[in-house]
Amino acid sequence: MRSLKILLLGAAIGSASVLPAAAASSAWYNSEGGKVRLVTSGKPDEAGRIQGVLDIALKPGWKTYWRDPGDAGVPPQLDVSPSTNIADATLSFPAPQRHDDGYGKWAGYNHPVSLPVMFKLSAAKDPAVIEADVFLGICETICIPVQTRLTVDPGSDPDNADDAALVKASFAALPAPARSDFGINVLPGDHETLVVEASFPGDPNAADFFVAGERDYMFGAPSRSEKDGKLIFTVPILDRPSATPTDGGLHYTLTSSAGAVEGLLPFP
């Protein structure tokens, strides 16, 4: 369980404000298992959006989490409410890997990872300063929460080529939108299971399905089976809201030896 896995030490959390670097990025914040910073592309587009990444440089043997870490940890979180002229920020996630550390099965990354962020300006033509409160778990045999504030002035060095290249590569590495030949089809389940049929290129043994427990849903690790030549994932629903939401859906990622896709599936 999460409460058994996470080491809550005030000294390890290291809440602090980090001054901006001489670029359209923050300084690195160092923790025991790695370091983290916020990088932006500098210039907003015509719609008043600035692309960026939450850049997580893990030390060897350390791991961090996907948008849904299962019952083993905490997902990366970004709060930009202290910012100036930033209305919202949306984190995106590259395809995760499944891990089993003896405490439970969870989804995340065992290598350095850059999580794309889309910042939305309140007023498209006005300057902005990003004050982002970051919270994430970095784990070895135990999990250490990392909590800090990262500060970025996107206009301080808007033509920084290294920052722009990192941001561009991180967005390009995101899973593609699901399609008919690479995606999932939801099959009839019951109140306690989500069942999907997967279509994908490549080796079936390399395929995996990840669904994010959001809106008070919680899911267990999927089991695999085959039906009529199709790979079936059956996912235990460990918890659910008292009333099924009627808007939106649940984020999922389907991985294969040929890449990864993502999409939304209806609330079960």
Side-chain angles (χ1 to χ4, degrees):
M1 292 291 100
R2 296 183 190 184
S3 59
L4 296 177
K5 184 80 189 299
I6 301 173
L7 182 64
L8 295 175
L9 294 179
I13 293 176
S15 180
S17 215
V18 180
L19 296 176
S25 63
S26 74
W28 286 103
Y29 174 77
N30 291 286
S31 71
E32 183 178 347
K35 55 186 180 179
V36 60
R37 64 174 177 161
L38 199 58
V39 180
T40 75
S41 57
K43 297 178 181 179
D45 62 16
E46 293 183 357
R49 299 172 300 184
I50 297 176
Q51 291 185 331
V53 298
L54 182 62
D55 198 20
I56 306 169
L58 297 171
K59 293 180 180 178
W62 289 75
K63 302 171 284 288
T64 194
Y65 296 105
W66 186 56
R67 65 168 75 241
D68 182 347
D71 64 356
V74 292
Q77 299 169 47
L78 195 68
D79 177 11
V80 295
S81 58
S83 302
T84 300
N85 195 32
I86 298 292
D88 194 18
T90 303
L91 271 173
S92 297
F93 293 82
Q97 301 84 40
R98 196 168 307 279
H99 300 272
D100 187 347
D101 56 13
Y103 293 91
K105 295 180 180 180
W106 52 276
Y109 314 94
N110 60 359
H111 52 77
V113 63
S114 297
L115 307 180
V117 189
M118 185 68 76
F119 297 97
K120 176 67 176 177
L121 274 63
S122 301
K125 296 184 179 180
D126 291 347
V129 175
I130 300 168
E131 298 275 356
D133 289 329
V134 175
F135 183 65
L136 68 153
I138 294 181
C139 310
E140 192 182 32
T141 55
I142 56 173
C143 287
I144 299 176
V146 174
Q147 184 174 344
T148 188
R149 177 172 291 184
L150 301 177
T151 302
V152 181
D153 178 359
S156 63
D157 188 11
D159 298 312
N160 188 292
D162 290 339
D163 290 348
L166 174 61
V167 172
K168 182 178 180 179
S170 298
F171 273 85
L174 288 174
R179 56 184 193 262
S180 59
D181 63 336
F182 195 175
I184 58 100
N185 179 36
V186 179
L187 301 180
D190 55 40
H191 193 74
E192 297 180 350
T193 56
L194 167 68
V195 184
V196 301
E197 176 188 272
S199 299
F200 53 88
D203 180 5
N205 293 321
D208 207 347
F209 173 70
F210 304 86
V211 58
E214 302 165 317
R215 306 283 288 274
D216 293 329
Y217 282 91
M218 180 179 290
F219 298 97
S223 60
R224 304 159 59 99
S225 60
E226 186 176 321
K227 181 180 180 182
D228 299 329
K230 289 284 190 177
L231 181 59
I232 307 296
F233 291 99
T234 301
V235 186
I237 302 175
L238 305 179
D239 201 2
R240 60 188 304 138
S242 56
T244 302
T246 57
D247 61 309
L250 295 170
H251 290 91
Y252 78 85
T253 297
L254 177 65
T255 63
S256 81
S257 57
V261 295
E262 63 183 4
L264 288 177
L265 58 83
F267 294 106

